[in-house]
Amino acid sequence: MSQSETFLATARQVIADEARALDVLAEGLDERFAETLRLMLSATGRIIVSGIGKSGHIGRKIAATLASTGTPAHFVHPAEASHGDLGMVAKGDVVLAISNSGEAPELANLVAYTRRFGIPLIGLSSRPESSLMKAADAHLLIPNLGEACGYGIVPTISTTLTLAMGDALAVALMRYRDFRAEHFRDFHPGGKLGAQLTKVRDLMHTITEVPMVTESTPMAEALAAMSRGSFGMTGVTDARGHLAGIITDGDIRRQVAGLLDHTAGEVMTRNPKTIPPDALAEAGAAIMNKAQITSLFVTEGPGPALGLLHIHDCLRVGLG
């Protein structure tokens, strides 16, 4: 077997071992998982996550995932907790302590603190008879299936299972609370994710910024309105003030012969594409790209226009 083949075989073995372990974890979930969720939901404060070593690294991710999906959470390093950070843990909090062996000495002071002050404790371990699990009020047990290294010394399978358990907790809590995309964006305003979750109302120009004329407006005045704006178009309203159409550079080119002899209603494109204000801006960018247009009027169904979404606004935040 060549070196490349050896590398690939090892990688596939690790991934396959971890995948099988995840199946065992999923099949083994029982009422204890539901009890843990109920305990977490009872928290009037935060979920305090703690662990040492690789468990600590996974714990930080679990705390971050909980916090970003509507469950207030914070990671407390167990060693720092013994030197003053126990003050971060208060009545109303629930502690999630992670230790694969359940015997991490660094967690001892944190566990004792929860017992002393009646703070609910969730233990996450692969050993049900460990000190951590005996002290805990709720138990998250991951199967003890060794590690992918084959020697039981490199945290691989155990950390994958711990991470998956944390994800299961976060998503279950998220769905119970009906935490949706619009809530998710509140915690993720930056980067590509924030852009994908941006709503049309967050990017649109209000109708007072958009050039608008009526159907009876002479084209000379409509052209002046377009020139005063910066969108390369003007909206057209009917006698009730409802959006009736749009005039773009393309409409003007099609009517260039005798253009000034017409009214806006005679030149406009009727029934322009629109989008509601609560739609995702990403959907607006997709509509504009597909139709090869640069603007979308924002409306709540038939009626007056509320604003305008321009392709440049979408590009500015990374969409389009």
Side-chain angles (χ1 to χ4, degrees), residues 146-161:
E147 304 291 1
C149 65
Y151 303 107
I153 57 175
V154 180
T156 45
I157 290 176
S158 61
T159 49
T160 296
L161 295 177

Side-chain angles (χ1 to χ4, degrees), residues 216-236:
S216 60
T217 300
M219 275 306 299
E221 294 180 24
L223 289 173
M226 288 180 65
S227 299
R228 288 194 297 270
S230 57
F231 304 107
M233 50 68 63
T234 184
V236 184

Side-chain angles (χ1 to χ4, degrees), residues 170-237:
V171 174
L173 290 167
M174 173 180 166
R175 290 185 179 174
Y176 178 84
R177 290 186 166 121
D178 195 24
F179 191 90
R180 301 184 299 275
E182 55 266 33
H183 306 126
F184 200 70
R185 183 183 177 272
D186 293 338
F187 300 106
H188 299 79
K192 182 66 174 177
L193 182 57
Q196 290 174 333
L197 296 174
T198 299
K199 288 188 175 182
V200 169
R201 68 167 67 255
D202 298 321
L203 296 182
M204 74 179 194
H205 299 267
T206 62
I207 198 62
T208 57
E209 303 174 68
V210 182
M212 300 292 291
V213 297
T214 66
E215 289 182 282
S216 60
T217 300
M219 275 306 299
E221 294 180 24
L223 289 173
M226 288 180 65
S227 299
R228 288 194 297 270
S230 57
F231 304 107
M233 50 68 63
T234 184
V236 184
T237 61

Side-chain angles (χ1 to χ4, degrees), residues 94-156:
V94 171
V95 171
L96 170 59
I98 304 171
S99 170
N100 184 42
S101 69
E103 302 294 347
E106 295 85 355
L107 286 171
N109 288 334
L110 177 60
V111 170
Y113 185 85
T114 66
R115 304 302 80 192
R116 179 182 177 188
F117 292 101
I119 296 170
L121 173 66
I122 301 166
L124 197 166
S125 174
S126 67
R127 298 183 180 178
E129 299 303 317
S130 63
S131 299
L132 171 61
M133 299 299 262
K134 287 179 179 179
D137 300 298
H139 308 87
L140 293 172
L141 188 66
I142 60 173
N144 189 356
L145 300 174
E147 304 291 1
C149 65
Y151 303 107
I153 57 175
V154 180
T156 45

